Amino acid sequence: MTVHTDASKYLDPKVSAFVSGKHEMLIGGKWRPSVSGKTLDVLDPANGKVIAAVPAGEAADVDLAVKAAREAFNGPWSRLVPAARAKLIWKLADLIDQHGLMLAQINSYECGKPIGDSRNGEVPFTAETFRYYAGWATKLNGEAMTINAPGDWHAYTRREPVGVAGQIIPWNFPLAMLAWKVAPALATGCTIVLKPAEQTPLGALYFGRLVEEAGFPEGVVNIVTGFGEAAGAAMSAHPDIDKIAFTGSTEVGKMIARAATGNLKKVSLELGGKAPTIVLGDADIEMAVAGASSAAFFNAGQSCGAGTRFFVHRKIYDKVMSGVAERAEKLRLGAGLDPASELGPVVSQQQMERITRLISEGRGSGAEIVTGGERAGDVGYFVKPTIISSTTPEMAVMREEIFGPVVCAMPFDDEDLETLAQDANDTEYGLAASIWTNNLGAAHKLAAKIKSGTVWINCHNFNDVTMPFGGFKQSGWGRELGAQALDLYTQTKTVAIRLP
């Protein structure tokens, strides 16, 4: 399998100049190095080469950012009327569109995803998210209540911003996850300390330039780059951060929840997944093959909603799996910036080694590798799209979130919905699932039985800014996107007046 790892010829000169330039953090409207002077390297996952250095922020930098956010929250940001906030957020969305090529190339360069997915998917979705929440800024209303107690009363609620929000975002969808958190926080009137993943900080820093260009008051959006164990941990425990929002692994999410108990800050967590893809016997085979392939291999499987467990009815199992295997073997692996690439690298050496270790453990436990099963090439962090069969429920490949282009496939014989739901729910996670069928009744009944925050029917990995997204069980707390995301950044105050 030939892997194309050098796509420098596709890099726009403006992007190259930005990436290779000097990078500082945005704190209080000023661009600053880290207090310690330390930096961290950013790598191109297609070849492992260093492409940039950014500040390695630590607790002292978080302190400065929180102070700036607090001053902005108590000062100019709180004095803006909702319509003024809405205009600024909408202007930011327009700037994202105008700088779409820059953002898309930066995104694909640092996280490795195919440029088409960045340019045609993630960047437009990022802008759309800001526009959606710009509309909500003027619609955060309280309500009046009818009081049962004797006497004359006027009672009502106010919906107020939580305050300073600390937001920690992952590397798999750097721009979309930024928008999922920043946009509703801005709409509600919160101020922000944002920490991008250490692997993918460049898109967030470029976004900081757009925040400045849009005209946001200083300190409303602060961006601190750094490692999770330093900057992220300092944010989670900071006594003057009112709310922490995190997307990432369940293990780290639990650490953040524990750290947040110091001041009982509000916490929202979007964590891991082990999504089942259930193909019933009456499903459209061509549609199921295409959908299951995308569910497993989109973004090199680096999605918390990735369909990593296939349950396929035995009467169509061979056809479906041969179709998925054929698609997997034809995927063109390459650097994200190469327009011909269909599957990019995973994000890091550490991630690649973890994926290949879990595959190897599965093979050692008796699982069969249908296709793939190893690293692709010897440059960069590429893993061949992998299908595993003959698995058992206790195997690590069936239990753990692999976060790579790997799927375990299992046939089933009896379309008893209770049994199917039990198998689908046999995981500590509950983020997403998909059902493939032409039987509308079975689809609805099975969807009701599956314990996950999202159930897709005849589709997978479909998100819309209007649709709440989040998990059951150990897949997290709270819902992002849709109107429900506003609940994460607001709190309700009740006012009761006894009338004379």
Side-chain angles (χ1 to χ4, degrees):
M1 179 180 289
T2 301
V3 180
H4 301 265
T5 62
D6 183 9
S8 57
K9 66 180 180 180
Y10 301 109
L11 196 62
D12 187 280
K14 292 181 181 178
V15 176
S16 181
F18 168 75
V19 170
S20 61
K22 182 180 180 181
H23 296 289
E24 295 180 319
M25 299 180 289
L26 180 62
I27 298 177
K30 306 291 189 297
W31 292 96
R32 306 167 180 252
S34 63
V35 171
S36 68
K38 296 176 184 177
T39 62
L40 64 88
D41 289 336
V42 182
L43 307 183
D44 176 358
N47 53 37
K49 294 180 179 179
V50 175
I51 59 173
V54 302
E58 297 177 334
D61 305 285
V62 171
D63 281 340
L64 291 172
V66 173
K67 181 180 179 181
R70 180 63 62 190
E71 290 176 353
F73 180 74
N74 292 334
W77 194 235
S78 65
R79 292 194 291 268
L80 278 184
V81 297
R85 288 204 307 271
K87 288 180 181 178
L88 284 172
I89 300 168
W90 195 279
K91 185 175 182 180
L92 187 53
D94 287 343
L95 287 169
I96 291 168
D97 278 339
Q98 293 167 24
H99 292 255
L101 177 61
M102 285 285 293
L103 287 167
Q105 286 211 350
I106 293 168
N107 198 49
S108 288
Y109 199 13
E110 65 178 344
C111 79
K113 72 178 53 184
I115 186 63
D117 291 343
S118 290
R119 187 73 182 94
N120 303 319
E122 188 164 354
V123 172
F125 188 76
T126 298
E128 180 186 358
T129 302
F130 279 96
R131 287 197 183 92
Y132 175 81
Y133 286 107
W136 271 111
T138 56
K139 301 170 184 66
L140 298 173
N141 302 318
E143 61 178 352
M145 285 84 66
T146 301
I147 300 301
N148 292 310
D152 294 321
W153 296 86
H154 176 51
Y156 62 94
T157 59
R158 292 171 50 87
R159 200 170 182 184
E160 299 183 354
V162 169
V164 175
Q167 302 180 321
I168 304 172
I169 59 175
W171 43 258
N172 56 337
F173 296 96
L175 297 175
M177 295 296 99
L178 179 154
W180 283 28
K181 290 177 171 53
V182 172
L186 291 176
T188 58
C190 292
T191 55
I192 294 160
V193 178
L194 175 73
K195 194 201 87 67
E198 54 262 35
Q199 299 89 344
T200 56
L202 299 176
L205 293 178
Y206 193 85
F207 170 79
R209 295 186 177 191
L210 304 186
V211 169
E212 287 188 307
E213 188 175 343
F216 282 81
E218 294 180 353
V220 172
V221 177
N222 305 274
I223 302 172
V224 177
T225 55
F227 293 104
E229 58 267 29
M235 290 170 60
S236 302
H238 201 287
D240 204 30
I241 286 180
D242 303 299
K243 188 265 181 316
I244 196 83
F246 171 76
T247 295
S249 71
T250 296
E251 178 185 7
V252 175
K254 291 178 180 179
M255 295 169 60
I256 287 171
R258 287 192 291 268
T261 60
N263 67 339
L264 291 180
K265 58 174 61 70
K266 295 184 72 172
V267 178
S268 58
L269 304 169
E270 198 264 277
L271 306 176
K274 196 72 176 173
T277 302
I278 303 169
V279 184
L280 300 184
D282 71 309
D284 182 305
I285 292 178
E286 184 176 345
M287 178 186 290
V289 165
S293 300
S294 177
F297 305 131
F298 170 65
N299 203 40
Q302 298 173 116
S303 169
C304 46
T308 58
R309 295 180 297 144
F310 285 178
F311 298 92
V312 185
H313 196 284
R314 191 176 299 276
K315 72 180 182 181
I316 59 171
Y317 179 83
D318 289 342
K319 289 183 179 179
V320 170
M321 296 319 303
S322 64
V324 174
E326 182 180 0
R327 282 176 171 261
E329 291 162 1
K330 288 181 178 178
L331 287 172
R332 188 180 190 274
L333 276 65
L337 289 170
D338 186 341
S341 294
E342 297 173 309
L343 190 74
V346 297
V347 77
S348 66
Q349 176 86 16
Q350 179 184 21
Q351 187 68 10
M352 179 185 70
E353 290 175 352
R354 181 179 182 277
I355 294 165
T356 53
R357 173 182 59 80
L358 284 167
I359 295 171
S360 179
E361 289 178 1
R363 183 188 285 113
S365 299
E368 177 186 349
I369 308 300
V370 177
T371 188
E374 59 189 359
R375 179 181 184 179
D378 55 7
V379 176
Y381 313 131
F382 293 89
V383 177
K384 292 180 180 179
T386 299
I387 300 172
I388 303 175
S389 66
S390 302
T391 56
T392 56
E394 69 275 4
M395 290 182 180
V397 289
M398 282 289 289
R399 310 304 305 179
E400 296 188 30
E401 184 181 37
I402 298 176
F403 228 63
V406 181
V407 63
C408 297
M410 295 143 287
F412 64 86
D413 296 295
D414 183 8
E415 283 197 8
D416 176 73
L417 299 187
E418 290 290 347
T419 301
L420 272 176
Q422 287 177 9
D423 290 340
N425 294 333
D426 185 19
T427 171
E428 66 186 26
Y429 301 110
L431 188 63
S434 65
I435 303 166
W436 300 80
T437 180
N438 286 312
N439 184 332
L440 190 60
H444 283 299
K445 290 176 182 178
L446 188 53
K449 297 176 186 297
I450 292 175
K451 294 181 173 65
S452 69
T454 295
V455 178
W456 293 295
I457 298 173
N458 293 332
C459 60
H460 200 106
N461 281 327
F462 172 72
N463 287 307
D464 187 89
V465 70
T466 64
M467 293 167 45
F469 187 81
F472 288 16
K473 298 189 283 186
Q474 294 193 43
S475 287
W477 294 342
R479 294 294 181 268
E480 294 184 304
L481 296 181
Q484 288 191 20
L486 301 164
D487 296 337
L488 304 179
Y489 298 98
T490 56
Q491 49 196 353
T492 299
K493 175 184 289 181
T494 299
V495 179
I497 307 169
R498 184 164 190 164
L499 301 177

